[in-house]
Amino acid sequence: MIGVGGAYGKLYGGPVVRDLLEVYTTVVRAVPELVLILLLYFAGTDLINQLLTALGHAAIDINGVVAGIGVLGVVQGAYSTEVLRGAILGIPQGQIEAARAYGMPPGLLLRRITLPAMLPFAIPGLANLWLIATKDTALLAIVGVNELTQTTRTAAGATKAYFTFFMAAGALYLVLTLVSNVVIGRIERWARRGMPSIAGAH
Amino acid sequence: MITQGTAPALKHTAQNGAAEAIHVENLHKRFGELHVLKGVSLSARDGEVIAIIGGSGSGKSTLLRCINCLENPTSGIVRVNGEEIRMKADSHGHTVPADRRQIERIRSKLGMVFQNFNLWSHMTLIENVIEVPVHVLGVKRETAIAGAEKLLARVGLAEKRDVYPAYLSGGQQQRAAIARALAINPRVMLFDEPTSALDPELIGEVLKVIGDLAREGRTMVLVTHEMKFAREVATHVVYLYNGLVEEEGPPEQIFGAPRSERLKQFLRNVG
Ligand SMILES: Nc1ncnc2c1ncn2[C@@H]1O[C@H](COP(=O)(O)OP(=O)(O)OP(=O)(O)O)[C@@H](O)[C@H]1O
Ligand SMILES: [Mg+2]
């Protein structure tokens, strides 16, 4: 969602919107994720709490899971902004123009033409992002999320059976990736339904 | 711009007093420093077929695209269906449409056919044809499908209804694009060199479809390099040179007895 908004803003937004998005994608993609997670989590929760107290609400204890998902969302949003921007540029311009020529309002054009037409170009990039995201969850352990790697370490430490537990964790990541690949393959075939395959076999 | 008497028997001749579907007056268009249209006027009454001819870069496409605001005219008047397109100046001093909804309303009365077809590649032919009726004009899906099937049959593509555009020849794609344009029941059809991107052996099938539409009295504005075809179907021919109307008149005059030296030269060159 952040990606779609970001890509659209960058391509069609006014100069101010474009500059803001440029700063966002550049900063987020330049700073190591680990740093970003710490920064956004600690600084972010602090900021929210200050805002809340300023507005006369009680400070809240922000759940690590929610914060983690939020941070990953911000990071992934920056990367997918670029993936989607590239994909939208990949759509033959004439198809957008035809939609405009037939009186499609901008929202409808985005939903009916731009998004489905760019999907084939975006899926490989988005699939990469998804797979990276599944592994990024390991980083969230730092802010107290009980994720796979962290849990494994605790379990392995307790039982001293490091090898078994890390193998199991590795296998779980692998299964997650394989399942993702199958699902992504399905989605990609569906998205490319209007395109003859390169090999010409149909 | 009425042809009388001299038109071939088959050709549909617009009646005196037919309503004006498109009116363009003193249209200017600049791309930055480049002055592409320098005060062009044009009128299409119901039933007329206006052919626009001229050399490459003379501004034919730009003129057509100004009619449905795919390009914003720099100055001048464009009236479609009696409704004048309202323009305003934006913060950079460019003229832009004052009312997006008005543009959308006007566009949905103009069926545009492009040189490169521009069918939506993620939709089958039937989906392409019903897209605008269903999602822009609010026609019921079943009604739209029934109509679209008739139109596809009409352009000879009934059995291709569930095929994606990429699997069709250029001629088939262009015929489907014409069906898509007809599906909105347009007041005027706009064609921008509909056969220029086609292999020579596919041109005929597309011209036949367009010719049939012309003969049944569809109002159209047609940019074309096919002089023989223009002479056959047009009720009025406009020769554009360097952003200005150099000469215009009934096809018999333009092709049979051109007055301007440039037009004579142009006709000699295109054969
Ligand atoms: N979007 C644009 N930006 C800048 N210049 C443009 C743009 N569109 C067209 N032009 C220029 O305007 C001039 C007229 O172009 P136009 O496409 O109207 O010519 P045309 O008569 O349709 O030619 P052709 O027969 O080659 O299609 C050309 O010099 C072209 O380079
Ligand atoms: Mg052109």
Side-chain angles (χ1 to χ4, degrees):
Chain A
M1 292 307 271
I2 296 181
V4 171
Y8 233 63
K10 252 191 159 170
L11 287 169
Y12 302 115
V16 180
V17 176
R18 252 182 265 186
D19 287 349
L20 280 176
L21 285 167
E22 190 61 40
V23 170
Y24 162 58
T25 54
T26 311
V27 168
V28 169
R29 291 184 306 155
V31 178
E33 266 160 66
L34 188 55
V35 176
L36 213 60
I37 286 171
L38 290 173
L39 198 75
L40 285 178
Y41 180 62
F42 290 112
T45 44
D46 196 43
L47 210 69
I48 291 175
N49 273 334
Q50 277 188 5
L51 210 71
L52 283 177
T53 14
L55 292 172
H57 296 280
I60 48 165
D61 190 18
I62 289 175
N63 183 320
V65 177
V66 175
I69 291 173
V71 170
L72 273 189
V74 169
V75 174
Q76 291 270 315
Y79 284 94
S80 55
T81 294
E82 291 301 311
V83 170
L84 295 179
R85 192 175 66 91
I88 290 176
L89 290 176
I91 307 173
Q93 205 44 45
Q95 294 189 27
I96 310 269
E97 189 153 84
R100 289 208 297 135
Y102 281 99
M104 272 199 199
L108 188 69
L109 197 153
L110 174 69
R111 193 160 53 80
R112 298 290 310 168
I113 310 294
T114 312
L115 289 183
M118 63 130 203
L119 216 52
F121 306 106
I123 282 180
L126 289 182
N128 265 343
L129 284 181
W130 161 249
L131 292 178
I132 292 171
T134 59
K135 267 143 274 191
D136 272 357
T137 53
L139 295 177
L140 294 179
I142 296 170
V143 292
V145 179
N146 268 333
E147 58 69 59
L148 190 53
T149 310
Q150 172 71 16
T151 315
T152 313
R153 237 179 48 203
T154 319
T159 59
K160 303 286 174 224
Y162 281 96
F163 189 71
T164 323
F165 275 100
F166 274 99
M167 278 301 279
L172 274 176
Y173 275 124
L174 188 64
V175 167
L176 194 59
T177 304
L178 289 176
V179 170
S180 297
N181 273 340
V182 171
V183 174
I184 290 162
R186 290 248 170 93
I187 297 177
E188 186 161 4
R189 225 167 317 138
W190 170 78
R192 294 186 60 85
R193 63 200 180 281
M195 303 187 162
S197 66
I198 295 172
H202 181 65
Chain B
M1 290 176 196
I2 307 297
T3 54
Q4 278 167 337
T6 48
L10 257 182
K11 190 181 294 177
H12 181 96
T13 307
Q15 296 305 300
N16 246 328
E20 201 175 32
I22 287 180
H23 176 90
V24 174
E25 202 176 311
N26 197 21
L27 189 75
H28 286 260
K29 174 66 186 175
R30 290 170 193 273
F31 291 108
E33 287 296 290
L34 193 64
H35 202 170
V36 176
L37 297 178
K38 302 169 182 167
V40 174
S41 299
L42 185 91
S43 154
R45 294 184 174 278
D46 282 336
E48 277 192 310
V49 176
I50 312 291
I52 301 175
I53 61 172
S56 188
S58 55
K60 306 181 296 294
S61 298
T62 307
L63 171 58
L64 202 65
R65 293 160 59 82
C66 280
I67 293 174
N68 64 1
C69 264
L70 281 180
E71 302 288 358
N72 298 322
T74 308
S75 67
I77 296 174
V78 176
R79 226 183 284 141
V80 177
N81 228 354
E83 190 180 357
E84 182 174 330
I85 298 180
R86 290 188 301 278
M87 306 296 287
K88 65 171 187 204
D90 71 0
S91 50
H92 304 285
H94 298 295
T95 35
V96 294
D99 177 4
R100 202 194 77 214
R101 281 170 211 289
Q102 185 199 28
I103 300 296
E104 285 161 4
R105 189 168 62 237
I106 285 175
R107 282 173 174 167
S108 65
K109 296 194 180 84
L110 300 171
M112 181 124 181
V113 176
F114 299 85
Q115 183 172 349
N116 296 311
F117 333 130
N118 296 344
L119 291 170
W120 295 303
S121 58
H122 58 287
M123 299 180 190
T124 61
L125 290 197
I126 192 99
E127 288 168 345
N128 264 279
V129 177
I130 66 169
E131 179 65 21
V132 179
V134 170
H135 291 100
V136 179
L137 304 175
V139 176
K140 274 208 353 240
R141 200 178 166 82
E142 299 76 54
T143 321
I145 289 179
E149 278 169 344
K150 282 204 197 86
L151 290 172
L152 283 176
R154 197 175 156 181
V155 298
L157 290 171
E159 70 287 13
K160 301 283 185 194
R161 53 164 283 171
D162 296 319
V163 177
Y164 289 97
Y167 295 92
L168 297 170
S169 76
Q172 290 172 322
Q173 289 190 49
Q174 192 61 298
R175 284 185 280 140
I178 292 172
R180 173 175 70 176
L182 286 170
I184 67 171
N185 192 19
R187 178 81 187 267
V188 181
M189 304 219 12
L190 307 175
F191 292 88
D192 190 1
E193 297 190 28
T195 57
S196 295
L198 298 177
D199 292 335
E201 73 272 18
L202 301 176
I203 291 177
E205 62 188 57
V206 173
L207 290 186
K208 175 164 185 316
V209 171
I210 301 174
D212 288 345
L213 292 173
R215 280 182 280 272
E216 75 185 31
R218 278 265 168 204
T219 314
M220 40 207 220
V221 180
L222 167 75
V223 173
T224 185
H225 285 300
E226 300 284 332
M227 296 304 148
K228 212 171 127 269
F229 182 67
R231 182 172 196 158
E232 258 169 55
V233 303
T235 55
H236 187 82
V237 182
V238 176
Y239 171 61
L240 222 54
Y241 178 84
N242 203 5
L244 282 169
V245 176
E246 171 88 9
E247 187 169 341
E248 62 179 309
E252 299 73 28
Q253 176 202 317
I254 295 293
F255 296 108
R259 290 184 217 131
S260 132
E261 268 317 308
R262 287 181 182 131
L263 175 55
K264 285 181 194 164
Q265 177 80 32
F266 172 75
L267 291 174
R268 267 199 299 279
N269 289 343
V270 295

